Amino acid sequence: YAHMRKKITEDIMKSKFTGLILAAVLLFGSVGLVGCRPGGSSTVDEYTPNLDVDYEITETLKVGITADAREKELIEGLIEGFNEIFPNVTIQPEVIQGTNYTSALSSYYQADLKNPGTMPDILWMSSAESFPLIEEKLFLNLDPYINAELERDSEFLDAFYPEMWKLGQQNFDGAQYLIPRSADRVVTHINKGIFKAANVDMSKVKNGWTWQDFLDTCETIRKYFDENGMTGQYVIDAYINWEAVMYPIFLSNGCSVFDENNQLVVNSEEGRAALNMMNELVEKRYVAPLNSSAQANYEGGQGAMMFHSAPASKFYNLLGEDYDLVTFPLIGDQPKIGTGVPGYCIYNKTQKRDLAWQFLKYMVSEDGQNAFAKAGATNPPIRKDMADPKTNLWGQGVNGEYKDLNMEAYTYKVEYNQPTDFFLGFAPKKQTELIGNLSDLVTNYLARPGMGLEAALARFDEEIKATINKR
């Protein structure tokens, strides 16, 4: 394995531009740039990293993942490549059992404190969910490893888009706890078969389409459903009360949820406009009421559209030639599109952190990212040299199966990318609850029968104050 180890190590340690200058400048830009070295307010955990792990080491690493079957497929794809470097290391994916992943991790952590070995060595995590668990000291501060890599190669971090890399940091501006696996962006997944049957004007369905273009398309499909006896069928699974969808809608309407002084500004002209924009989708029966079990059922082939960051490969496998995607509709003069990163952290108490770091470092190498792509990943990597879907495996597929899909929807006008960050002025333990409060507001107003806007805002104000005033 000597030649392959040398090649992969060089890929990991060096990043070279391949002529994708434009993409390298702008891909995934919305959060301010960070410097080359890690920084922020968090202290570096006191440990000495070892980058020279024996390639012949015999060991087992457990990787905690969600119950999503695709996550296991991706990890299994990564294992094969990693074992070409470390052939005697056994990687064991382990589903974290529980109805809520982050709550389950907290439970595993408490169990591990009493019975060490309960918690996996490496843990799946997303940028929006990480902060309370970082505060709980569940994850290892990875700055010592990053600093050690930089001492060997000052260009180590140059391989990655800093705007996305920093989404794995505490408060998006501190110590690194999460290594991003990919850049996830909300797009509009579409069923071309339904679009064709409804005679949708496809000249409007393109990257950069506006909210009005989207509404016109919804109305055309709504009319088609009604005229063909499908009055109970909804047009789109919009996940409108998910932060990656609702928060960009608020921002695009000029409402930041909290102002620079952490004062709530949702009950404003801009905030009400955003809420009414979302409510119109329910009123016109494009979206199912949020308190009902009804849905458009895009994944079942009945719905025409879905807002989601899920990989194109998932829906291509379900819909075949009827599948395609387009950008999230642009709203107003300063449109925003929900963006975040999934990735992996190292458990703070693992005894195998050096080997775990090698696994994460391989994950973000070119070989590691291609291993993900071979396993079906179609979300853009955070590597600068793998940005273009037309020239990289993630955008083309192993056998070119995605070459005719509009994969540029993931990378179009990346200056519009927007992570969920309205909670950053508050303690980490309150951040998840603040997201829940905003989601409750949208749900309460978009329910049928709902509270009405005034009652929903009043309850939201009470819930937010209760969350902020918690000790």
Side-chain angles (χ1 to χ4, degrees):
Y1 295 100
H3 173 72
M4 183 169 291
R5 287 172 183 158
K6 180 176 184 295
K7 174 186 180 298
I8 293 175
T9 301
E10 288 174 350
D11 286 344
I12 291 171
M13 297 296 293
K14 292 284 186 181
S15 169
K16 294 182 172 64
F17 287 96
T18 59
L20 301 176
I21 301 300
L22 179 61
V25 172
L26 284 177
L27 185 64
F28 310 125
S30 70
V31 186
L33 294 175
V34 295
C36 287
R37 290 184 176 270
S41 58
S42 295
T43 57
V44 174
D45 294 350
E46 294 183 3
Y47 66 88
T48 301
N50 173 25
L51 301 184
D52 299 313
V53 178
D54 182 3
Y55 288 133
E56 302 301 329
I57 187 173
T58 298
E59 191 56 270
T60 297
L61 282 177
K62 293 193 295 183
V63 181
I65 59 175
T66 68
D68 186 348
R70 290 191 58 80
E71 195 64 35
K72 185 177 180 182
E73 292 173 0
L74 294 179
I75 282 294
E76 288 176 343
L78 197 64
I79 291 170
E80 183 177 353
F82 184 73
N83 281 152
E84 292 178 346
I85 313 173
F86 293 93
N88 302 318
V89 174
T90 299
I91 307 293
Q92 294 182 347
E94 180 178 329
V95 174
I96 301 298
Q97 300 292 341
T99 55
N100 180 281
Y101 180 77
T102 52
S103 297
L105 279 184
S106 293
S107 298
Y108 270 60
Y109 180 44
Q110 295 305 316
D112 191 80
L113 295 177
K114 299 176 183 178
N115 183 25
T118 301
M119 183 71 82
D121 307 288
I122 299 170
L123 299 162
W124 182 93
M125 185 44 53
S126 71
S127 51
E129 298 171 299
S130 64
F131 297 155
L133 297 175
I134 290 173
E135 186 181 45
E136 198 174 340
K137 306 297 183 184
L138 201 149
F139 304 136
L140 183 70
N141 180 341
L142 299 174
D143 279 359
Y145 283 109
I146 296 171
N147 284 325
E149 297 288 355
L150 287 168
E151 287 178 6
R152 290 192 171 184
D153 180 359
S154 62
E155 298 179 352
F156 174 71
L157 285 180
D158 293 345
F160 315 110
Y161 290 101
E163 301 89 348
M164 303 310 293
W165 184 262
K166 75 179 297 182
L167 296 188
Q169 296 174 1
Q170 185 173 27
N171 285 325
F172 300 156
D173 190 29
Q176 195 83 30
Y177 286 89
L178 179 151
I179 300 300
R181 183 191 72 201
S182 61
D184 286 6
R185 184 194 213 193
V186 175
V187 296
T188 310
H189 302 278
I190 68 174
N191 185 323
K192 292 192 297 184
I194 295 176
F195 275 50
K196 183 177 179 180
N199 291 318
V200 169
D201 181 358
M202 295 303 293
S203 68
K204 293 184 177 182
V205 186
K206 58 187 178 182
N207 291 339
W209 65 332
T210 66
W211 190 260
Q212 188 59 54
D213 293 332
F214 163 68
L215 292 178
D216 291 344
T217 299
C218 286
E219 182 58 27
T220 298
I221 296 170
R222 176 73 272 159
K223 183 178 179 182
Y224 163 73
F225 282 158
D226 290 345
E227 290 177 347
N228 288 274
M230 294 180 281
T231 56
Q233 174 64 43
Y234 293 96
V235 176
I236 178 171
D237 290 317
Y239 294 98
I240 206 75
N241 58 347
W242 175 35
E243 65 269 16
V245 174
M246 64 180 178
Y247 180 49
I249 293 177
F250 277 107
L251 275 181
S252 297
N253 278 277
C255 177
S256 56
V257 184
F258 292 98
D259 65 16
E260 64 275 8
N261 298 314
N262 282 343
Q263 298 300 305
L264 194 64
V265 292
V266 172
N267 194 353
S268 61
E269 180 181 350
E270 295 80 7
R272 287 167 176 258
L275 287 164
N276 286 326
M277 175 176 281
M278 290 182 268
N279 188 53
E280 181 183 12
L281 301 181
V282 177
E283 284 186 336
K284 292 187 174 179
R285 294 184 298 125
Y286 305 154
V287 171
L290 268 60
N291 64 333
S292 73
S293 59
Q295 58 174 329
N297 192 20
Y298 177 81
E299 295 187 51
Q302 295 175 292
M305 289 179 277
M306 172 186 280
F307 290 154
H308 214 282
S309 60
S313 56
K314 175 179 180 178
F315 304 116
Y316 176 82
N317 292 336
L318 289 170
L319 300 177
E321 293 183 357
D322 281 340
Y323 173 73
D324 211 341
L325 65 159
V326 68
T327 56
F328 184 80
L330 303 186
I331 301 169
D333 297 330
Q334 295 183 311
K336 302 295 181 183
I337 299 176
T339 308
V341 296
Y344 284 88
C345 305
I346 297 176
Y347 177 46
N348 195 35
K349 295 185 179 300
T350 180
Q351 300 300 306
K352 307 169 187 176
R353 61 183 176 224
D354 293 328
L355 185 58
W357 172 253
Q358 294 298 321
F359 187 76
L360 296 189
K361 189 167 67 170
Y362 174 71
M363 177 183 72
V364 293
S365 71
E366 184 176 357
D367 287 89
Q369 290 296 305
N370 280 331
F372 274 143
K374 291 175 184 177
T378 50
N379 295 96
I382 65 164
R383 293 184 61 90
K384 295 175 182 177
D385 56 357
M386 300 183 75
D388 189 351
K390 292 187 179 298
T391 58
N392 283 279
L393 199 60
W394 69 268
Q396 296 292 295
V398 176
N399 300 308
E401 58 267 39
Y402 311 132
K403 64 182 178 60
D404 294 326
L405 297 181
N406 178 31
M407 299 298 280
E408 288 85 354
Y410 286 116
T411 57
Y412 174 85
K413 295 285 186 181
V414 292
E415 61 267 30
Y416 299 152
N417 285 3
Q418 179 62 52
T420 301
D421 61 3
F422 69 86
F423 49 65
L424 291 182
F426 300 92
K429 63 182 179 181
K430 298 181 180 180
Q431 291 169 353
T432 301
E433 194 165 349
L434 289 170
I435 293 174
N437 294 151
L438 190 63
S439 179
D440 286 347
L441 166 63
V442 174
T443 301
N444 288 336
Y445 182 36
L446 273 59
R448 291 294 182 272
M451 294 182 175
L453 181 56
E454 301 306 324
L457 284 168
R459 175 172 290 190
F460 175 63
D461 188 63
E462 293 175 1
E463 290 182 353
I464 284 288
K465 288 178 179 177
T467 298
I468 292 174
N469 291 331
K470 279 184 178 179
R471 299 190 64 176

